[in-house]
Structures are given as C-alpha cells and as structure tokens.
Amino acid sequence: MNTKTTIEWTETTWNPITGCTKISPGCKNCYAERMAKRLQAMGQFRYRNGFQLTLQPQTLNEPFKWKKSRTIFVNSMSDLFHELVPLSFIDKVFHVMNNCQHHQFQILTKRSTNLRQLASLLNWTENIWIGVSVESQDYVYRIDDLRTIPATIRFLSIEPFISPIKQLDLTGIDWVIVGGESGPHARPMHKNWVRQIREFCIEQNVPFFFKQWGGVRRKKSGRLLDDQEWNEMPLRIHSTKFFDLINT
Ligand code: SF4
C-alpha cells in the first residue's frame, strides 16, 4: 500500500486503525470518511467496513520495514484516542513507536480528554509528537489537555479553520499548523483569522506553518499568506525534508 502523502507537514501515513465517528463541527466534511467510503467501493480489504472503526493489526509492523528515517503521521484515517480503541491496542502502537527510534511519529487527536486520561499509562519516547485539532475558539480547551502530555513536541492543527480564534495561549506548545477546509463542501476561512494566528505565534515565539487555503480547488488557491509560504517547523526535528523546507 502506498503510504506517501501529499500532506505538507509530514512524509508518510501509517494507519493501524481506520474509521472514526464525528465528535465536533470540524468533522462535518471529514476527508477520511470520504476516502474510506471510496476505498470500500473500490473493494480494498482494509476498508471493507467503510468508515466504521476497525483495528488493523496486520499493519503494526510496517514502520519496522522502513529502514530510512521518516516523519510519519499516525492514523490519518482515524483517531488513535477514539473511545472504542482498546488501551491494549494503543499500547501496541506505542510499542512500535518506542522501538522505531529512527522515525518521528506525529499523532493528532480531537479526543483530548481521552488523551489526557491515558497519557500516564503510555511511554512517550522522544520520537513521538502529539497534537490536537482546534477548529474554533470553542475547542481551545483541548490545548489545556495537550499541555499535560509529557511529549517532546506538542502541536496544534487549526484545520479546518471554521471560525475566528481571538485568544490563544501557546504556553508549552511547540508548533502551530493552520489550514482551510478542502473539498466539495468546504467552509470558507478568512485571511484575517489566519493573520491573527500568525501574530499569536510571532508574539509567543512559536513556529507557524501555513498548510493551505483549501476550498473547492485546493491546488489553485495555494498556500501563500501575504505573498509568502510559512513553513516553520519545531526546532527539535531530524527529517531531511524539513531541513529542506526551513532552508527554502
Ligand atoms: S476525528 Fe478526525 S477522523 Fe474522526 S471524524 Fe473527526 S475529522 Fe474525521
């Protein structure tokens, strides 16, 4: 299975779980749901259950086979901290990450309460980054949960950015990604909302990564903000791709 991805802030996806359920307004036009249903229609075995949460234990060993260092987005097609994922399985995913120190793993969740409650039972080796999605001011509380996690890199994904965020405390946060929604029903993101987040990052000295404007024609709308790309990354990174990005 091709694991390379066009997601700008990572290199590879690894999906030991597929499928999910919607939890907040950011999920409304979930890309993973659209993709899972498409892959089910194409007859792909892994997606035989469509978007229903499905453990994929046969994929657990994949990162061991990737000999060269990669930056890996864990569960682009699900949420590792979904309430239906047993702790024993999360533990298996962590075991792989703990024993693949040549890779960097990026976990992103909307279930920050579950994350906070389970965090002390997991082994947060230095190669594990943890992030929460924050689509609007109503969900900044997820950042308080994130701050409690003993990971090397804690990050925010403000995507899909669907309404303005007027207050943002970035204490203990190492990286902020912003992106607009893509796809046929994409909700608009206003330029000044993005500029405001960039200002928060500059004031609080946190790297800012602008992923995309999104919209119906994602490629056409591009990823320039005020005539430039914003590709800042957290300081403690090792991937060649990211050194390239910083140096462009
Ligand atoms: S949490 Fe993520 S994967 Fe799950 S439904 Fe929401 S957007 Fe989709």
Side-chain angles (χ1 to χ4, degrees):
M1 187 160 197
N2 185 9
T3 55
K4 287 217 164 132
T5 174
T6 56
I7 300 171
E8 289 81 353
W9 48 266
T10 194
E11 291 176 309
T12 295
T13 56
W14 172 46
N15 282 291
I17 304 161
T18 54
C20 195
T21 47
K22 299 187 180 189
I23 184 171
S24 63
C27 299
K28 186 175 176 203
N29 301 315
C30 175
Y31 169 83
E33 181 183 31
R34 276 206 310 277
M35 187 54 74
K37 288 182 175 168
R38 194 180 303 169
L39 293 169
Q40 181 185 33
M42 288 163 64
Q44 282 216 9
F45 178 74
R46 284 188 192 181
Y47 293 91
R48 62 201 178 281
N49 299 327
F51 196 51
Q52 196 180 314
L53 192 119
T54 305
L55 306 184
Q56 306 280 359
Q58 77 286 359
T59 66
L60 279 170
N61 282 334
E62 282 175 358
F64 287 111
K65 295 179 196 155
W66 302 329
K67 299 296 174 209
K68 225 176 132 191
S69 171
R70 296 185 186 191
T71 302
I72 300 168
F73 179 16
V74 182
N75 282 321
S76 61
M77 296 294 284
S78 184
D79 187 333
L80 182 63
F81 291 95
H82 191 286
E83 43 286 354
L84 292 181
V85 180
L87 177 58
S88 57
F89 196 79
I90 299 177
D91 221 24
K92 284 183 181 158
V93 173
F94 267 71
H95 178 80
V96 174
M97 297 190 290
N98 296 153
N99 288 286
C100 283
Q101 293 283 335
H102 59 302
H103 298 315
Q104 290 81 52
F105 293 91
Q106 300 164 311
I107 305 168
L108 183 60
T109 184
K110 284 191 173 70
R111 271 99 176 162
S112 63
T113 311
N114 289 357
L115 165 68
R116 176 170 47 76
Q117 287 171 349
L118 297 177
S120 64
L121 305 173
L122 303 166
N123 182 14
W124 295 91
T125 42
E126 278 200 3
N127 61 334
I128 301 174
W129 306 11
I130 180 71
V132 295
S133 301
V134 178
E135 61 259 50
S136 67
Q137 191 76 51
D138 290 343
Y139 294 93
V140 293
Y141 72 85
R142 291 175 181 152
I143 306 171
D144 291 330
D145 291 328
L146 179 65
R147 272 188 262 275
T148 68
I149 310 305
T152 320
I153 304 281
R154 289 179 288 260
F155 67 99
L156 308 185
S157 169
I158 304 180
E159 181 191 2
F161 195 2
I162 54 175
S163 71
I165 295 178
K166 297 200 168 143
Q167 287 177 328
L168 190 63
D169 174 6
L170 295 174
T171 309
I173 303 304
D174 302 287
W175 189 32
V176 174
I177 302 164
V178 171
E181 191 164 47
S182 304
H185 306 291
R187 292 162 282 183
M189 174 177 70
H190 295 284
K191 213 172 257 183
N192 284 341
W193 304 352
V194 185
R195 288 184 176 131
Q196 175 71 83
I197 302 297
R198 183 184 58 190
E199 282 314 301
F200 287 136
C201 287
I202 292 169
E203 282 163 18
Q204 298 177 59
N205 205 18
V206 175
F208 171 76
F209 191 103
F210 183 54
K211 181 171 174 267
Q212 60 180 41
W213 287 107
V216 182
R217 290 195 200 95
R218 178 173 178 260
K219 275 197 182 148
K220 199 170 170 215
S221 56
R223 51 187 306 263
L224 296 182
L225 171 62
D226 295 330
D227 300 322
Q228 73 172 90
E229 285 187 7
W230 296 81
N231 292 322
E232 293 171 356
M233 296 295 299
L235 292 178
R236 285 163 289 181
I237 52 168
H238 313 287
S239 158
T240 327
K241 174 178 173 180
F242 293 143
F243 281 121
D244 290 348
L245 276 173
I246 290 167
N247 293 325
T248 50

